[in-house]
Amino acid sequence: MAKIAYILLCHKDPDAIIRQAERLTAVGDYIAIHFDASSDAAAFQKISDTLADNPNVTFARRRIRCGWGEWSLVQATLHALRAAVEDFPRATHFYMLSGDCMAIKSAEYTHQFLDENDRDFIESVDYFNSNWIKTGWKEERLIYRHWFNERTQRKLFYGMFEVQKRLGLTRKIPADLQIHIGSQWWCLRRRTVEWLLDFVKQRRDVMRFFRTTWIPDETFFQTLVRHLVPEAEIEGRSLTFLMFTDYGMPVTFYNDHYDLLLSQNYLFARKISPEAKDLKRRLGLLYAARGVQFQISNEGRSLFDFLTGRGRIGRRFATRFWETEATLGRERELLIVICKKWDVAKRVLERIRQVTNVPAIEYLFSEENTPLADLGGIQTTLEKRTRHRRALMRMLFDYYETDRLIVCMDPANLDLLHDFASDRSITRMLEIECLLSDEYLTGHAMRSGLAGDQTSQETLTRLLPTIRGDMLHEIDRIRDAQFENYNCLREMADVESNAAALSQFLMIPEDRAREIAQTEHLFAD
């Protein structure tokens, strides 16, 4: 059975470190601690004294001062790793942690998971061909030498960079290495760690290179593991669940995140708030528990993106430069059906086709597989359709040889509605107002990845009001825009009212509009 030696880098909160070490070793696992040499000496003394009698705890033979973006973080990890390899010969895996990490699965589940997955878990993607680095320096991290700390010695850091840049003092990456980058929170098998430590002893040139790269904790282990281990034995992800905000800051978890954390397909989570005492208590008890069944839904990231994205969606009303002189045509009519329930809108559209014979196209700006004619490639992707929307629509008018065309749009496409409404052509809109039942919202959450089959009812209960509010907000934004020729077909309205709305939207007699409004199961989910 797997036995884990945890590699813990920490610099504060000695009481929390002691509790974490006692928790992880109570079930038979090990821990090797490196406590930052620049931190309080009394704090380290407290940790070492309290844990001195625990045979499953060891300390890095040498403590060093650590700084963000420096080689010192890698060096500290190597010191702790060597101590763990020497002192814990029965350890099968080595798992990198920080003081802010906590287990979100039981030790029983964790050991079984590692036994069933004989691989190294480390996020490592190609340095140059991936988009892991979103902004800022990329090649500059490697080809120039960085001796100073960017945060505490800013002038020296950037001054030396500018000197090297002006003098052309670049260097080459070791020829046999393909640089990879990823999260520093990994879990490696013993054989891999032994290979890595041997490589470090033999390849002084590689060590010299990484010592003066910038932020080497994101590239050192990631590159060497890929260099030493067959690709088939590497799982390119971390087993520690962490997320970042739009501003590049780690997301912090609090007491009400317990169910969400347990449902993720990870073994640990980072960062747990120091104030989340109840969450820490519950997670602490969880690691030693036996027989716990975990329902993995793994919706954490998509759920976070959805919830934090509300209210920060960019709006654009101006015309793109390539569309400045574009128009659909003064004599043409574009009829837009707006509905969040796509199945309902498609049913209404099909009935309109049957009654009026007007060409109608479903969600062409939302569904990649919407059937469209070959229009020279402009229709091939959603990105192309949206970017060249007016040109696309003109080509569709021409293809169908018509001056009237109906399309469906999602309420989220407010910028498209503004754009088409500002055109010289006649634009009419029909909102289909449907009831938003809990069953429908749950299905929507499943389809959009906000929830899964194993999502708890408690999580859904908190999530559904947010989704409902989001959908209603989209409609409110459209209504607030006060578009001309705007009508509404309502699930709760009578046939006559809906027939009148359809008549105005389609410009057809009310008896023909009534044929559509009377359609059986028109609003069924």
Side-chain angles (χ1 to χ4, degrees), residues 36-78:
D36 194 332
S38 60
S39 298
D40 183 21
F44 176 69
Q45 193 63 49
K46 181 177 182 179
I47 295 169
S48 56
D49 289 348
T50 305
L51 299 175
D53 295 330
N54 189 328
N56 288 8
V57 176
T58 192
F59 293 89
R61 305 290 189 260
R62 181 184 171 201
R63 292 171 57 213
I64 60 174
R65 296 176 181 273
C66 297
W68 183 87
E70 289 182 13
W71 167 253
S72 56
L73 288 175
V74 177
Q75 188 65 71
T77 304
L78 289 172

Side-chain angles (χ1 to χ4, degrees), residues 208-231:
R208 284 194 300 272
F209 172 78
F210 278 108
R211 275 196 177 95
T212 52
T213 59
W214 191 40
I215 321 182
D217 53 300
E218 294 180 349
T219 55
F220 179 78
F221 292 99
Q222 296 77 1
T223 298
L224 296 194
V225 170
R226 287 284 179 184
H227 182 73
L228 296 169
V229 180
E231 185 175 354

Side-chain angles (χ1 to χ4, degrees), residues 5 14 28 42 76 95 109 131 136 145 168 222 246 258 306 399 411 421 466 468 482 512 514:
Y95 197 123
Y109 179 99
N131 65 344
R145 296 167 179 82
Q222 296 77 1
D246 293 347
Y258 180 79
F306 170 76
Y399 175 81
T466 303
R468 178 180 282 107
Q482 298 183 335
R512 295 179 67 198
R514 195 175 293 109

Side-chain angles (χ1 to χ4, degrees), residues 361-381:
I361 304 169
E362 295 170 358
Y363 288 87
L364 74 165
F365 295 110
S366 299
E367 286 189 305
E368 195 91 55
N369 60 354
T370 298
L372 290 172
D374 185 351
L375 303 173
I378 196 174
Q379 82 291 343
T380 52
T381 67

Side-chain angles (χ1 to χ4, degrees), residues 134-151:
K134 303 286 192 241
T135 60
W137 286 354
K138 194 167 191 175
E139 187 181 37
E140 292 87 347
R141 293 192 188 191
L142 307 176
I143 64 172
Y144 295 107
R145 296 167 179 82
H146 304 279
W147 294 282
F148 301 100
N149 186 289
E150 190 265 346
R151 293 187 174 180

Side-chain angles (χ1 to χ4, degrees), residues 25 86 117 240-241 326 329 332 335 371 395 408 420 489 523:
T25 58
E86 293 172 10
N117 296 274
T240 298
F241 180 60
R332 285 172 168 169
L335 310 179
M395 295 171 78
C408 281
F420 288 125
L489 190 71
F523 294 94

